[in-house]
Amino acid sequence: MTQTQIIAARLALLAAILAAWALLPKYGVLDPRLLPPLGDVLAMLGKQLARSQVQEAIGVTALEVVVAFVIAVPIGAAIGVAAAEFEYFGQIFKPMLFYVFSVPKSIFLPMFILIFGIGFPQKVAYAAFSTVFIVIMSATAAVESVKADHVLVARSCGATKAQILWRIYVPSMMPVLLETLRISMIFNFTGVMIAEMYASRTGIGHLIANWGENFQMPELFAGVIMLSVVAICFNEAVRLLEVRVSKWRT
Amino acid sequence: MTAIEVDRLSHIYAGAEGGVPALEDISMTVEAGKFVVIVGPSGCGKTSLLMMLAGLRHQSTGTILCDGRPITDPDPSRVGVVFQEASLFPWLTALDNTEFPLALRGTPRDERRRRAEDMLNLVGLQGFGARFPHELSGGMKQRVSIARGLVQDPPVLLMDEPFAALDEQTRMTMGHELLRIWSKTRKTVVFITHSLTEAVYLADEVLVMSARPGRIVDRIAIDLPRPRTYEMMATDTFGKLRERIWQQIRKPEGTLS
């Protein structure tokens, strides 16, 4: 199949799904109370986006996501780089990090509520906590993707430590680092949503949980679309950048 | 004129049970413009020796002089190094790889472009500057490595088994190409290899090393005429020289049994 054909097939698949969503509930094939038709959901999405309560919730959620991300990524990256670069540090801490990484982070949420109460700090702390481990793992992998041979070649060409860092480490690590950014954002977003849905007075996650409990399906699906679009856009933007800087990796 | 002078160089690796002697009492002199090949079994320390000549590793005792001055750190203006396969930076094009040593020194962009292009022409890669390493064959990658080693115009070129990962045919061609480049540039070359045929074909002089500890056990002058041709490989003289190196290399095993 050519690239155009593949893209056409993808668009056809998307159109088919949207058409099914629009038509099946309308004609009673699917229960419209559980799956409201796409048209109703989109109309509801417009209505909700116009409400100040929803706009405020979007602001809160966005701020939580950004703050948690800005906390988790540098801390995780620093620990991950240290674990890869300093042998003893890595040998001592790596097993423990791997153990904690394998535990589902959501079981710690009640502890965060007890420590921080319900609100902004609790949600940010929990999201950062659930993100930091994947950043540590990926940062370690990024450093380990730097080839010793390349460092040796650079030294033989007279490179200083700073030049090795800038001209060898950074380009070697860049594809893995962007991948890290992308994947950790998925964890981070999930963390914020779980925290908001579990116990919160505001935020999109809180609204979605409420709408679900009150059986307000058009509102619920409007919320789902809203979040999906934001998440997909971020992911794809970083992935595009990733493809651009990893051309040489094939 | 002497290009490289190694005087009573020894190296001991720190091991669990005290030091492990890796190189013992290495002394050698390489005249400017000569092509010297070092052969020896795996673990004889020939790569370690080369790393020390490049200033990338420090010996325990002894001195290395290059152009009359000691080598203690990498100095690309005196010594260029060509490594084994996969030493090109995959995120840079062939031209950017070749320019790399100049870029480190902050050479103006135009000048470094020009010199890198000259070097790519010299190694027979005109028109390939924009290619990335993954778009080049194994032989072409090593040509770029040679261009990078020569771009600062150092008097000495060190080569660590540069053709070891290539197939036999490409390897022969590259050996021949290297001699062509060498005869044009008149560099002093120290070349490490496992291949005895390659050693005899390329060298003015072959140094044979023994393993554990690494020592120079023989120096063999290769007095075949230049330019060398593939036909020479079939001659008696070539076979005898090759045989003599082989006898030296297998000797330690003989004494063991």
Side-chain angles (χ1 to χ4, degrees):
Chain A
M1 268 218 269
T2 66
Q3 197 62 31
T4 346
Q5 281 172 316
I6 289 173
I7 289 171
R10 282 175 183 167
L11 289 175
L13 176 67
L14 182 66
I17 290 170
L18 294 179
W21 188 358
L23 298 175
L24 295 184
K26 205 169 190 174
Y27 296 106
V29 183
L30 291 171
D31 186 346
R33 282 172 303 172
L34 284 175
L35 183 71
L38 180 61
D40 296 4
V41 171
L42 290 178
M44 179 56 78
L45 178 62
K47 216 164 99 188
Q48 290 297 333
L49 284 174
R51 285 176 60 202
S52 68
Q53 196 203 351
V54 172
Q55 289 167 357
E56 210 172 290
I58 291 174
V60 169
T61 301
L63 190 63
E64 286 163 359
V65 166
V66 169
V67 173
F69 197 63
V70 167
I71 292 172
V73 170
I75 291 179
I79 296 174
V81 169
E85 277 293 272
F86 306 111
E87 209 187 327
Y88 290 116
F89 180 85
Q91 280 176 349
I92 292 165
F93 282 95
K94 257 193 207 165
M96 188 61 74
L97 291 170
F98 273 103
Y99 297 156
V100 182
F101 180 59
S102 63
V103 178
K105 305 299 173 295
S106 49
I107 59 175
F108 295 99
L109 185 51
M111 277 187 60
F112 280 85
I113 294 173
L114 291 175
I115 296 168
F116 293 99
I118 290 176
F120 188 79
Q122 157 250 338
K123 288 180 279 181
V124 166
Y126 171 73
F129 172 74
S130 58
T131 308
V132 80
F133 294 95
I134 184 73
V135 182
I136 294 172
M137 297 298 145
S138 312
T140 307
V143 176
E144 281 164 1
S145 71
V146 179
K147 289 207 171 80
D149 282 352
H150 289 151
V151 175
L152 194 67
V153 171
R155 284 183 55 215
S156 82
C157 297
T160 62
K161 280 220 163 73
Q163 284 175 325
I164 288 173
L165 187 69
W166 180 244
R167 288 175 181 273
I168 308 297
Y169 272 71
V170 169
S172 302
M173 287 163 57
M174 196 47 85
V176 185
L177 284 182
L178 286 175
E179 201 180 353
T180 304
L181 226 52
R182 202 161 57 76
I183 291 168
S184 49
M185 183 49 106
I186 297 174
F187 277 70
N188 185 45
F189 215 162
T190 308
V192 168
M193 282 304 120
I194 288 175
E196 284 187 351
M197 292 176 77
Y198 185 79
S200 174
R201 290 183 211 92
T202 177
I204 293 293
H206 166 72
L207 288 179
I208 287 179
N210 261 357
W211 287 329
E213 277 165 23
N214 298 330
F215 204 49
Q216 293 169 284
M217 297 317 265
E219 286 87 342
L220 177 65
F221 277 102
V224 168
I225 290 180
M226 214 186 299
L227 285 183
S228 305
V229 168
V230 173
I232 292 171
C233 284
F234 179 84
N235 201 52
E236 288 305 299
V238 180
R239 213 169 55 85
L240 267 178
L241 207 63
E242 215 175 295
V243 170
R244 277 191 59 181
V245 301
S246 352
K247 255 191 241 153
W248 53 269
R249 260 182 144 193
T250 40
Chain B
M1 214 184 83
T2 308
I4 301 172
E5 201 170 351
V6 178
D7 188 34
R8 282 164 294 165
L9 178 147
S10 293
H11 190 68
I12 294 166
Y13 279 115
E17 294 139 34
V20 183
L23 291 168
E24 199 174 86
D25 200 28
I26 306 272
S27 292
M28 60 187 255
T29 308
V30 182
E31 293 303 313
K34 291 287 174 194
F35 200 122
V36 172
V37 175
I38 301 176
V39 293
S42 302
C44 73
K46 52 193 192 296
T47 293
S48 295
L49 178 60
L50 196 93
M51 292 295 124
M52 289 163 193
L53 292 175
L56 289 166
R57 217 178 270 175
H58 294 292
Q59 64 271 25
S60 305
T61 57
T63 54
I64 299 169
L65 296 182
C66 177
D67 260 1
R69 285 176 293 136
I71 288 274
T72 49
D73 288 304
D75 180 355
S77 64
R78 279 190 290 164
V79 177
V81 190
V82 177
F83 294 88
Q84 289 192 28
E85 206 211 14
S87 75
L88 294 182
F89 304 125
W91 57 87
L92 296 181
T93 61
L95 190 66
D96 288 335
N97 264 290
T98 310
E99 288 188 10
F100 184 80
L102 300 176
L104 293 179
R105 288 201 319 193
T107 309
R109 199 188 146 84
D110 288 347
E111 191 192 336
R112 72 182 196 239
R113 277 278 118 118
R114 189 176 50 73
R115 280 171 64 182
E117 265 160 14
D118 285 350
M119 284 304 123
L120 286 179
N121 290 349
L122 174 70
V123 299
L125 281 184
Q126 51 272 63
F128 287 92
R131 300 266 189 111
F132 282 93
H134 70 87
E135 299 168 315
L136 298 171
S137 69
M140 288 161 116
K141 280 186 217 168
Q142 282 313 73
R143 284 172 197 257
V144 178
S145 288
I146 293 169
R148 180 174 63 190
L150 290 173
V151 77
Q152 300 221 54
D153 202 23
V156 174
L157 191 63
L158 305 176
M159 307 185 82
D160 183 16
E161 300 193 46
F163 309 142
L166 304 177
D167 63 79
E168 191 64 28
Q169 283 171 30
T170 314
R171 187 174 189 154
M172 299 266 279
T173 319
M174 286 304 294
H176 199 71
E177 275 292 283
L178 178 61
L179 288 182
R180 179 185 64 77
I181 295 163
W182 172 69
S183 69
K184 263 192 167 170
T185 57
R186 284 282 135 199
K187 300 290 175 195
T188 309
V189 178
V190 177
F191 186 104
I192 286 180
T193 182
H194 268 111
S195 160
L196 305 187
T197 307
E198 193 172 62
V200 176
Y201 185 68
L202 297 175
D204 289 317
E205 185 181 32
V206 175
L207 303 181
V208 185
M209 287 181 72
S210 69
R212 278 173 279 274
R215 230 180 295 176
I216 295 177
V217 290
D218 202 1
R219 294 157 208 265
I220 301 162
I222 308 294
D223 40 18
L224 294 167
R226 293 196 187 265
R228 303 268 161 93
T229 61
Y230 295 126
E231 289 72 36
M232 286 179 191
M233 289 184 196
T235 61
D236 242 16
T237 331
F238 195 97
K240 273 183 190 146
L241 287 164
R242 202 177 172 285
E243 183 60 24
R244 179 169 160 201
I245 300 170
W246 172 232
Q247 291 301 336
Q248 288 297 342
I249 286 178
R250 52 179 287 197
K251 222 187 225 169
E253 290 171 47
T255 47
L256 273 177
S257 58

